[in-house]
Structures are given as C-alpha cells and as structure tokens.
Amino acid sequence: MKNHFSLPTRIIKQLAGKRLLKRELPVNHQTYQSLTKLKLLHPIQPIIKKGFHYECQRCHNTKRSLFGMYPCSRCNQTHRYCRKCITMGRVSDCEKLYEWHGPEPNWPTHQQPCTWKGKLTIEQERAAKRIVTAIQLKEKEILIHAVCGSGKTEMLFQGITYALQLGMRLCIATPRSDVVRELFPRLKRAFQTVSIQALYGESRDKSGSAQLIIATTHQLLRYIHAFDVVIVDEIDAFPYHKDISLPIVTKRALKPSGTRIYLTATPRDDQKQRMKYQHLPHIFIAKRYHNHPLPVPQMKLTISLQKNLAHKQFPKSFLRWYFTREHSERQVLVFVPTIQIAEALKQTFTTLHSEIRSTFVHSKDPNREEKVDLFRKKKIDVLFTTTILERGVTFPAIDVAVLNAGHHVFDEAALVQIAGRAGRSPDDPDGDVIFFHDGKTNAMVQAIQAIKAMNKRGGFK
Amino acid sequence: MNDCLWCNQAIIYQPSWRHLFTFVERTTLCDDCQSELELLNGKRCVKCSRKSDMERCLDCQYWSEKLGKDPLTANISVYSYNERMREMIAKWKYRGDYELVYAFRPMFVKVFKNHFLTQLKNFIIVPIPLSEMRLHERGFNQADALARLLPYYQPSILKRLHSEKQAKKTRYERMQTKNPFKLVEPINKPVILVDDIYTTGTTLRHAARLLKNNGCPEVYGYTLVRG
Ligand SMILES: [Zn+2]
Ligand SMILES: [Zn+2]
Ligand SMILES: [Zn+2]
Ligand SMILES: [Zn+2]
C-alpha cells in the first residue's frame, strides 16, 4: 500500500469482498476513521429508495411489510430498518454499510492442494471434468443434476483443485447448516494445506477470511464480489428456493467474472424450465457411486391413517411392515409431517415395544446432532423424524417409512430425497421405502416416476 | 390486508357488519401466532401476577419479610413467559426488531385499561430506563416502546446509573443489588412503572423505593410478561 497506513494481511482478508455493518468491522474506532478518510473503507447507503419501494442493500429485501420504523435514541430520529435480515444485526438508516475498497489480498496458489486419495467412478469423473471446464472457460453458471448417493462432494474436488492452483477464492454455499457441518470436516481432510472456514448461524468463528469458505447461503449476505467460484450445494432446499434474496446475494458474492456451480438431486421447476430451454448448462449423473439403482418407493394405502395419528397410534399396516421386513437387521427411519407427531409416536412406540431402541429428532431439538450421531453408530433402532433429515445425511443400512406421505410438507423433491436415504452403502445398496398414505397425491406419484426415470437413464431396468 | 408480524403470513380478514361501524384495530398477529401466546389468567398472586394457588406467592412473601413494607403496591403482567414469548422478546429487544411491539399492543392496551384506567386517576407512566451504554447499543429502550403504546405516555423521569447485567446473577444476588436508579424530578402522583419482564421484581422495587422516598404516594408495576 502506498499510504503510511498499513493493515495486517489477516485484517485485509477479513475485509475483502465484504459488505459489513460498522460493528462487524474487525478494526477499532480510530483505524475505522483512518480507513474511511483514506477511502479504503467505502460507506454505502443501507436502505435506498427505488421508485415506490425501498431496498435493503444487504439482503435486497423490497417487501413493504418487511421494513419497520423505530425511534432512535442515538439521534432522536425515526429510522427505517430491514426486518428481513435482522437476525444478522439491524440494517437501518442510522448506520452505513461498509465495503473494502483497498488492495485485494493475495490468495496463495497451491500446487497440489488435494490430499484426497480416493478414486472417482466414471460418472463422477465426467461431472468433475465438466466442472473444471466451467471454471476454466469462466462460464457463468452450470447445474450438476446428480442422483442421491452419487457422491457429489467428491465430484467437486478436481474443480476446487484447479481453482486453488490458480490462487482463486472459493465458496461452497448451501441453504442448510447441517450440510455445512457435514461438508466442513470432509473438505478439511481433502485439502489439508488450504485455509478453510465454516460459517453458519451458530459457528464460533465469523471472520470469514479463508480462501475456501463453506457457508450457509444466508452468510453470503455479508459478501460482495468476493469469490471466483461459488458452488451452491442442495440448491433446491429450503429456504433458498423460497427466498428471493438468496439467489441475489449468491450472485453478488461472486466476482463479475466468476462461475456459479449448482448441485442438486431434485431440481425445482424453474431450474427444469431453464435447463429445458437451454438457458442453464447442465450435466446429469444418473448412477450412484456404488453402481446400484435407486430404491423405488412403494405406496401403501392406509385408510385409518388420520384416525390413528390423531390418537397417537400406529396404523396396523405400519407395524405389520415393521415386523415382517425382509432385512430386519436394518435400522428404520420414519418420516412424519410434524414435530408433535414425531414426539408422540416415539412415546407410543416405546410403550408398545420398550425392547426396541427408538427416539425422535426435529429442527427444534437441541440434542439433534447427538441423536443423529447415535443412530449413525447403530445405538438406536428406530428414528422418528420430520423432514429435517430428508437430505444431507447418510446412514449405511436403513429402511425408510413415510407416515402420512400425502401431507403437504412432503412435496416431490422431499419424497425423492427421503427415498434417497435408503441403500447408500455398497455393502447394502438396497432398502425398503414405503409411503403410507390415505389417498395418493401428485407429489407421491411424480416422485416415484422421477426415481424410475432416473434409474432408466442410469441404464437400469 | 397485512402480514403477520411474526410469521409473515398474510392475515385474512373475516369482515363482519361490526367493522362497518366500529373502529377495529389493525390485526398484527395471525390467529396461529396469537394462539401461541399465553395470557395470564386464572389463579394468580395478587402482588405479582404469577400463577399461584396462594394469595401471595413465596417470592412476594420473601419481599414483605425482607422489606417490611413493600414499596410496590402490585405488579400486573399480561403474558406468561412461554417459548414463543421468549423467541419474540429476543428478536424484539436483542435483535432490535422494534415493530414487534405492535404484536403486543392490543392486549397490552386492553389489560391496562381494565386494571388501571378504571381505578386510578391522575397517575403518571414511568418506563424503566436503560443505561446510556445499553441504550446506545440497542438504539431503543423496550420499556419505553411499551409505554408509548399507552395513553398519557411521557419520557421517563428515571435515569439508570450503572449497567444491567442481571442475567448472570443468581436469584438471591439479584434481590440484593444496589439501587441503580436516579430520579430526575420528584413526583407526587401515583406512578405506574412499565417494563418488559417481571422476573424477581428487584428492578421495579428499586425504582419504587426511590420514588416513594421522594414523595410518591403509590407505585404499581405494569409488565408485558411474568418471567
Ligand atoms: Zn435486509
Ligand atoms: Zn439513529
Ligand atoms: Zn403468524
Ligand atoms: Zn407474587
């Protein structure tokens, strides 16, 4: 830097590519003043008026009901503030947002960053090569449509390696914090010499200064033009596909010349449309890495279903299935529509069969990680869960049941993902997937069709 | 048409003939979210609003033993501190989502009218202040936000001298702390102190004692939740 003022590289890495509130700046007040005077920190208007509406410059919310007013006791004025992104600190007219306009940090080039010694299948290799090409040619975006259990993470390694060799900065973003937690240790193992950080709501380190960032898409609200490559894993997952802010900030986090890579096993309609009309380059991976087809769900009509669930009882058909399964050694994952039903059915199950170890998990369960871990270690036989476990988790040998598969929380994507939990391991590549319902829905029919179609494209009958 | 302040779902109105003739306040929570909040009613301690089979709960008995004469005549709270209320207060007060105060408005105003307007005259409302530092951090005082919903609002005549690190203290320690308040001007009318949460009642009693020592005839507490 030319001026008399120089910052540690660590701080520059923390500021580069960010759009932050003053209280998030990693510098004290004096440094802040010098940096703004030197125009290295650039203030921007936090909420701007565009025609008849306002727009938050952090989350790009424009919805009227998601702006509020408050009487500010700092300056005795009433300020507009953004309610939408408020959990990340309030953006209001009281305080500017800041961007780093100083020199770019030099991200290191790595000659051989990949320490993963595994071997890709032919299908994985095909996707990996395509990703490298996309980064090489600076393609804007590409979607990798790969079936559940195809080994998506490993497909990324060549592309990440290539980018790191050129000294690029990357981000793997995903709507779900569970996925961040699952990916982080795997990537650290695969790229042991590279600086990697995980960012999600509860993560302790929020500095976000690493060359490779693994983050929830929400965390991208703090970034602008930071990355050469952004990989969005599980792009169809909630809340990404329902929240218009997230695609906007994902794009904003990327440098203008950068590449977005989307990964999904269940593309949403808008993505399908864009692929169909050639607006979105894509590649389809139809085979699981162990080269066995996806288990096809069966529907089981159960007329008494609603009545049973209302009384916290199991339908007979479920218990009959449970006790006559061909592979009774497999653990069982039972998906139910609501938290209350998950807890209630666990209770009933324990009363009926105290010898079978069962428990429940849901999004509000503080012990959920621990319980999932116990299930993975086979210390639990039956796990009652909401859609929270529909994706991002792998258990080696399980059968899967959906109780009340006709419920609206089970849309096509959810059901395909749920079915994709079964048969993940090469040692036990199959599994029962049963949809218990009292009237089949389009979602159920389409999910089964989609799975059959994917198997067909994978060369299975 | 407007959206629920908590879940952002659109609130659908069922228009009825009454709406044509009476002023109906804008609904701010959808029915589902409203039903998650638990109004305090049934058997309660007459002093502090806590659910209790005894006329005076154990805490209040402790207070009267310790203080001899309790400076606080009574506390009225509107809601119980259940899970949803905890989440709402956290977002409102700590994240700073000021608008959420309007989710509490209908009941906060109604209960106030029922309990105070009918029996007290010529009172003044005094929101419990925050320390300068905390106020600067948050940008607003949640007690002041609540007081603004009520008739006869005026800025607080109390000041807070030192900071409010209550959360880490034990219940007993909290009941022992020094008076953190200073009176800006003495008041000779009944006072209704307004705050967001009544937990042990220490804060309200500190303020009440100060007011009474300076000529205030009677002090009540009015709080959104009973912790
Ligand atoms: Zn915002
Ligand atoms: Zn201000
Ligand atoms: Zn609501
Ligand atoms: Zn009491």
Side-chain angles (χ1 to χ4, degrees):
Chain A
M1 265 190 286
K2 274 184 236 98
N3 48 68
H4 63 281
F5 202 89
S6 98
L7 279 174
T9 325
R10 175 178 55 87
I11 301 290
I12 297 182
K13 283 183 174 171
Q14 235 179 102
L15 286 167
K18 295 273 185 64
R19 183 175 275 188
L20 299 172
L21 291 165
K22 182 169 178 237
R23 74 189 90 135
E24 295 171 329
L25 297 173
V27 296
N28 65 23
H29 189 68
Q30 272 190 342
T31 312
Y32 153 81
Q33 282 183 319
S34 315
L35 290 175
T36 40
K37 209 177 280 165
L38 293 166
K39 300 206 158 63
L40 294 174
L41 265 184
H42 177 73
I44 62 160
Q45 202 60 31
I47 296 171
I48 60 171
K49 193 162 187 209
K50 278 189 172 172
F52 291 107
H53 57 258
Y54 290 88
E55 186 185 44
C56 169
Q57 293 307 292
R58 184 171 65 180
C59 75
H60 298 277
N61 161 39
T62 55
K63 202 173 171 195
R64 211 161 126 192
S65 61
L66 291 177
F67 286 102
M69 305 292 280
Y70 77 98
C72 175
S73 47
R74 283 190 212 174
C75 38
N76 284 320
Q77 279 177 31
T78 302
H79 297 307
R80 178 165 280 104
Y81 72 97
C82 178
R83 300 189 61 224
K84 180 152 185 200
C85 60
I86 199 160
T87 50
M88 304 187 80
R90 184 174 54 207
V91 171
S92 81
D93 287 334
C94 192
E95 144 179 43
K96 297 260 190 293
L97 287 162
Y98 295 89
E99 285 175 10
W100 176 249
H101 282 197
E104 264 280 298
N106 283 319
W107 301 104
T109 54
H110 303 258
Q111 280 196 329
Q112 263 340 311
C114 190
T115 38
W116 183 70
K117 293 285 176 274
K119 208 175 163 317
L120 296 180
T121 65
I122 296 167
E123 285 288 88
Q124 284 175 316
E125 187 76 29
R126 193 161 67 86
K129 287 273 165 331
R130 183 66 190 86
I131 291 169
V132 173
T133 309
I135 299 172
Q136 251 168 359
L137 302 179
K138 295 192 179 302
E139 289 178 67
K140 286 256 161 290
E141 47 184 4
I142 174 172
L143 184 140
I144 315 294
H145 178 190
V147 299
C148 298
S150 55
K152 276 183 285 156
T153 311
E154 289 78 13
M155 294 174 196
L156 298 172
F157 290 171
Q158 290 185 17
I160 295 173
T161 302
Y162 175 78
L164 289 170
Q165 283 168 341
L166 297 180
M168 288 180 171
R169 194 179 189 196
L170 304 94
C171 176
I172 304 177
T174 168
R176 314 242 327 212
S177 60
D178 313 68
V179 179
V180 175
R181 276 189 281 246
E182 153 120 8
L183 285 177
F184 182 49
R186 287 172 71 186
L187 278 132
K188 273 212 300 206
R189 252 178 279 130
F191 296 92
Q192 287 166 13
T193 57
V194 181
S195 69
I196 307 179
Q197 283 167 344
L199 292 178
Y200 49 96
E202 306 85 47
S203 64
R204 251 178 278 143
D205 183 357
K206 287 277 196 324
S207 59
S209 55
Q211 185 167 12
L212 174 54
I213 299 275
I214 303 163
T216 54
T217 42
H218 258 109
Q219 295 293 326
L220 297 180
L221 291 179
R222 298 205 176 97
Y223 284 90
I224 176 161
H225 302 332
F227 303 104
D228 301 281
V229 177
V230 172
I231 298 159
V232 189
D233 194 7
E234 309 277 7
I235 187 159
D236 60 300
F238 182 83
Y240 192 92
H241 79 102
K242 285 246 167 102
D243 186 337
I244 51 164
S245 295
L246 295 177
I248 299 176
V249 298
T250 304
K251 195 170 171 187
R252 191 188 75 190
L254 200 68
K255 288 177 188 163
S257 62
T259 303
R260 265 170 293 160
I261 297 158
Y262 308 129
L263 300 180
T264 175
T266 43
R268 297 277 164 183
D269 284 343
D270 53 330
Q271 291 141 7
K272 283 187 201 158
Q273 286 296 314
R274 290 184 61 214
M275 288 194 277
K276 189 171 156 194
Y277 294 107
Q278 317 286 323
H279 295 315
L280 178 59
H282 59 276
I283 178 169
F284 179 63
I285 305 299
K287 272 189 186 165
R288 295 187 137 186
Y289 78 97
H290 56 41
N291 213 358
H292 291 271
L294 297 157
V296 178
Q298 294 163 41
M299 293 191 266
K300 202 148 257 163
L301 181 66
T302 304
I303 301 295
S304 63
L305 189 65
Q306 304 295 345
K307 205 175 81 197
N308 295 140
L309 292 183
H311 290 92
K312 305 176 182 176
Q313 296 303 322
F314 288 94
K316 276 206 190 90
S317 57
F318 172 82
L319 294 174
R320 197 178 307 122
W321 167 75
Y322 182 87
F323 289 106
T324 57
R325 288 174 301 133
E326 204 182 315
H327 294 269
S328 54
E329 75 283 1
R330 285 185 195 144
Q331 293 163 284
V332 172
L333 195 54
V334 184
F335 285 88
V336 298
T338 66
I339 293 176
Q340 290 83 344
I341 296 180
E343 292 187 357
L345 286 186
K346 191 267 161 208
Q347 268 307 326
T348 310
F349 197 78
T350 306
T351 335
L352 291 175
H353 306 286
S354 56
E355 73 287 358
I356 302 173
R357 298 165 300 179
S358 66
T359 191
F360 63 82
V361 280
H362 51 70
S363 58
K364 294 203 168 143
D365 186 345
N367 304 321
R368 87 188 207 218
E369 274 175 78
E370 194 190 323
K371 287 175 174 176
V372 170
D373 208 46
L374 285 176
F375 190 66
R376 198 174 279 132
K377 288 179 181 150
K378 305 204 170 187
K379 299 214 164 106
I380 290 167
D381 305 309
V382 184
L383 182 57
F384 295 93
T385 178
T386 58
T387 53
I388 185 85
L389 291 189
E390 78 180 28
R391 55 176 89 214
V393 286
T394 300
F395 307 110
I398 57 170
D399 287 325
V400 178
V402 184
L403 274 178
N404 198 4
H407 193 281
H408 64 83
V409 300
F410 299 118
D411 59 15
E412 180 192 332
L415 290 171
V416 172
Q417 292 283 355
I418 285 170
R421 297 310 103 204
R424 304 278 288 209
S425 148
D427 302 327
D428 188 9
D430 202 3
D432 280 7
V433 180
I434 316 283
F435 295 164
F436 293 91
H437 68 93
D438 60 353
K440 56 183 167 188
T441 57
N442 285 339
M444 287 156 59
V445 176
Q446 278 158 7
I448 292 171
Q449 269 172 5
I451 290 168
K452 284 182 175 164
M454 285 187 273
N455 280 341
K456 206 166 167 193
R457 287 179 72 176
F460 304 104
K461 281 252 252 171
Chain B
M1 262 274 281
N2 58 285
D3 294 344
C4 171
L5 275 175
W6 185 249
C7 71
N8 300 320
Q9 269 345 325
I11 297 173
I12 320 283
Y13 285 103
Q14 309 272 284
S16 81
W17 61 271
R18 267 174 52 233
H19 292 122
L20 296 173
F21 302 107
T22 50
F23 170 73
V24 178
E25 198 175 8
R26 192 171 72 113
T27 313
T28 45
L29 284 181
C30 70
D31 290 350
D32 285 351
C33 290
Q34 189 67 57
S35 70
E36 290 283 330
L37 296 180
E38 190 190 342
L39 278 172
L40 284 167
N41 42 35
K43 278 199 172 167
R44 286 193 285 164
C45 168
V46 293
K47 287 284 286 187
C48 74
S49 267
R50 171 196 243 174
K51 285 198 171 170
S52 161
D53 283 333
M54 287 177 272
E55 196 185 65
R56 273 158 201 250
C57 71
L58 290 174
D59 266 10
C60 290
Q61 288 175 27
Y62 168 86
W63 281 118
S64 53
E65 272 166 39
K66 183 176 175 253
L67 302 175
K69 202 163 172 356
D70 189 345
L72 193 69
T73 305
N75 166 67
I76 304 292
S77 302
V78 180
Y79 288 110
S80 77
Y81 206 24
N82 65 6
E83 193 48 39
R84 174 59 63 88
M85 187 51 99
R86 220 175 284 273
E87 288 170 35
M88 286 182 84
I89 297 239
K91 196 170 181 213
W92 173 50
K93 176 161 131 178
Y94 301 120
R95 304 288 184 190
D97 194 356
Y98 188 91
E99 291 276 325
L100 284 176
V101 78
Y102 302 116
F104 309 133
R105 177 161 62 189
M107 289 322 291
F108 196 70
V109 172
K110 192 174 165 191
V111 173
F112 183 82
K113 284 182 179 160
N114 291 347
H115 274 274
F116 295 108
L117 282 190
T118 48
Q119 37 182 301
L120 267 185
K121 278 200 194 80
N122 215 7
F123 56 85
I124 92 158
I125 286 173
V126 179
I128 294 291
L130 287 179
S131 65
E132 287 291 323
M133 204 183 85
R134 197 48 63 78
L135 189 59
H136 188 83
E137 239 168 64
R138 293 200 189 142
F140 67 84
N141 171 5
Q142 71 280 1
D144 190 73
L146 285 168
R148 278 170 195 260
L149 304 176
L150 302 174
Y152 315 114
Y153 163 78
Q154 66 171 61
S156 192
I157 51 151
L158 289 174
K159 263 203 166 1
R160 194 162 201 140
L161 297 172
H162 28 84
S163 74
E164 44 284 88
K165 281 214 188 90
Q166 290 268 319
K168 283 194 184 127
K169 290 184 184 142
T170 66
R171 216 173 164 77
Y172 183 73
E173 280 170 340
R174 292 169 69 161
M175 288 178 165
Q176 298 294 324
T177 45
K178 279 218 180 70
N179 200 323
F181 299 112
K182 199 182 91 181
L183 199 58
V184 180
E185 56 178 287
I187 286 293
N188 55 10
K189 295 181 212 167
V191 160
I192 301 171
L193 292 167
V194 172
D195 206 356
D196 55 341
I197 306 175
Y198 181 108
T199 311
T200 60
T202 316
T203 314
L204 289 184
R205 282 181 174 88
H206 278 314
R209 181 147 9 93
L210 187 64
L211 286 161
K212 279 200 139 172
N213 289 346
N214 287 277
C216 175
E218 195 155 41
V219 184
Y220 295 86
Y222 187 48
T223 44
L224 180 68
V225 296
R226 180 65 176 89

